[in-house]
Amino acid sequence: MTAPAAQRPAPDADERIRAVREAKEEQISRAEGWRRRGPLLPALIFTIVVTQIPFLFTLYYSTQSWNLVSPGSRRFVGLQNYVDVFQDSQFWQVTLNTVILIVGTVLISVILGLFLALLLDRAFLGRGIARTLLITPFLVTPVASALIWKTSMFDPVFGIVNFVLSPFGLGEVDWISRFPLPAVMVALVWQWTPFMMLLILAGLQSMPRDILEAGRVDGAGAFALFRELTLPHLRRFIELGTVLGAIYLVNTFDAIYMMTQGGPGTASSNLPFYIYQRAFLGFDIGQAAAMGVVVVIGTIVIATFALRLIFTSFTGKEEAA
């Protein structure tokens, strides 16, 4: 039996009902989205106030010729500060120092962290104590770490490094004066190796053990298992630690300030310390602001590209699994 035509709703009425229902569902989803985002709004507002507003002021100052020791000399110069920055030979030397500092520190920290993680992944007596002691350097504040290496380790008279190397005829070397940049890198490696170790150790412990057992049953040796199974599994964790360490090390200031003051000359200066020198020792606010903008833009571009590669690696492997 079919209902009379007068009792059946018209097709346009059905469409209106469907449209009203979809509109209500969209309103509910929007309200649910704002309800979830609401608790994050204070943090977002705080981040904008603390980071973006100062960056806008930095952009403005970068277009000004403003030297604090010359009252009344402030004027608009457009992009001239950026031209001067790219023509500054010391800026490129400091950029090279920054690249060497980051690449060397991250590479050595990853290698040492991988070695220590492989050791701690094995069961042995006192593993918990050893793990705690190896994590300790990462918990030391950067300023205290720099002071420890400057006064206790690299001191030319009372330093532990010279004391240990004195039987080999190297007990009278002023390491910070003769090798300023490597000395800073050693302190940073000591601080960042525990972070890489923890990250790689987490990757090792997430690896299924049955795969390794199957490889051993098939006759694979320890090196073959590491090369064909362990290292490919750890690649994502190593990449993540490399990117995070590089992003943080770009901003290294305290270790250089406490250990070498950027010297001799600019031999151990990096970009943040050189910007500090230009702004607070040379009083050239305009060029310092222009350098800061260049460094921020370059860091954002490189970090975005690297993080995109890492996220693609993680999501791609998870989908394949």
Side-chain angles (χ1 to χ4, degrees):
M1 298 294 292
T2 58
Q7 297 179 2
R8 292 199 303 267
D12 55 347
D14 291 340
E15 294 179 358
R16 286 197 298 270
I17 294 173
R18 189 180 302 110
V20 171
R21 185 182 299 113
E22 291 177 354
K24 290 183 178 180
E25 292 177 353
E26 185 177 357
Q27 290 178 355
I28 293 174
S29 63
R30 287 181 179 177
E32 181 68 17
W34 281 110
R35 186 182 66 82
R36 294 179 179 179
R37 298 188 193 100
L40 300 177
L41 286 179
L44 178 62
I45 295 172
F46 177 79
T47 302
I48 292 175
V49 171
V50 173
T51 62
Q52 301 308 310
I53 293 179
F55 184 69
L56 293 177
F57 276 101
T58 304
L59 285 173
Y60 169 72
Y61 291 143
S62 67
T63 62
Q64 306 289 314
S65 176
W66 185 17
N67 195 302
L68 296 181
V69 297
S70 300
S73 63
R74 181 175 173 180
R75 68 184 188 278
F76 178 79
V77 293
L79 300 178
Q80 184 60 40
N81 285 325
Y82 294 94
V83 175
D84 294 339
V85 166
F86 287 109
Q87 292 179 349
D88 185 2
S89 59
Q90 287 189 345
F91 175 78
W92 293 111
Q93 178 62 42
V94 170
T95 302
L96 179 61
N97 291 346
T98 305
V99 173
I100 295 174
L101 180 70
I102 294 173
V103 173
T105 301
V106 170
L107 183 61
I108 298 173
S109 298
V110 168
I111 294 174
L112 293 178
L114 176 61
F115 176 73
L116 294 175
L118 291 173
L119 291 179
L120 292 178
D121 192 47
R122 301 173 178 272
F124 59 89
L125 183 63
R127 183 174 65 170
I129 298 176
R131 185 180 303 176
T132 303
L133 293 176
L134 289 173
I135 294 173
T136 303
F138 189 66
L139 305 178
V140 179
T141 59
V143 173
S145 173
L147 284 175
I148 289 172
W149 281 94
K150 179 180 180 180
T151 60
S152 299
M153 303 297 293
F154 287 140
D155 187 272
V157 179
F158 305 105
I160 297 176
V161 173
N162 282 343
F163 175 77
V164 173
L165 295 178
S166 57
F168 305 97
L170 297 175
E172 298 180 356
V173 178
D174 190 351
W175 298 97
I176 293 180
S177 297
R178 294 185 59 181
F179 309 102
L181 191 60
V184 175
M185 290 173 58
V186 168
L188 293 175
V189 166
W190 178 77
Q191 187 177 13
W192 276 93
T193 297
F195 173 78
M196 303 298 180
M197 179 196 70
L198 287 176
L199 200 58
I200 297 174
L201 183 60
L204 282 173
Q205 295 181 348
S206 68
M207 185 175 181
R209 299 298 177 180
D210 54 350
I211 298 178
L212 296 176
E213 293 297 332
R216 293 190 184 97
V217 171
D218 291 339
F223 181 75
L225 289 174
F226 174 77
R227 183 187 61 197
E228 301 296 335
L229 296 177
T230 305
L231 196 59
H233 177 77
L234 294 177
R235 183 175 67 88
R236 298 177 298 172
F237 299 92
I238 293 174
E239 290 175 351
L240 181 61
T242 300
V243 172
L244 293 178
I247 291 174
Y248 184 87
L249 288 170
V250 169
N251 302 317
T252 300
F253 176 84
D254 34 28
I256 295 176
Y257 182 82
M258 298 304 299
M259 293 181 66
T260 64
Q261 291 285 318
T266 57
S268 61
S269 294
N270 65 344
L271 287 171
F273 191 82
Y274 187 60
I275 294 172
Y276 160 79
Q277 286 181 318
R278 185 60 63 89
F280 298 102
L281 300 180
F283 304 105
D284 195 339
I285 303 300
Q287 282 200 14
M291 288 181 189
V293 172
V294 171
V295 172
V296 168
I297 294 176
T299 304
I300 290 175
V301 171
I302 296 174
T304 301
F305 179 73
L307 290 174
R308 182 173 298 178
L309 289 179
I310 290 178
F311 292 153
T312 301
S313 175
F314 270 89
T315 55
K317 293 215 171 188
E318 289 174 357
E319 290 175 358

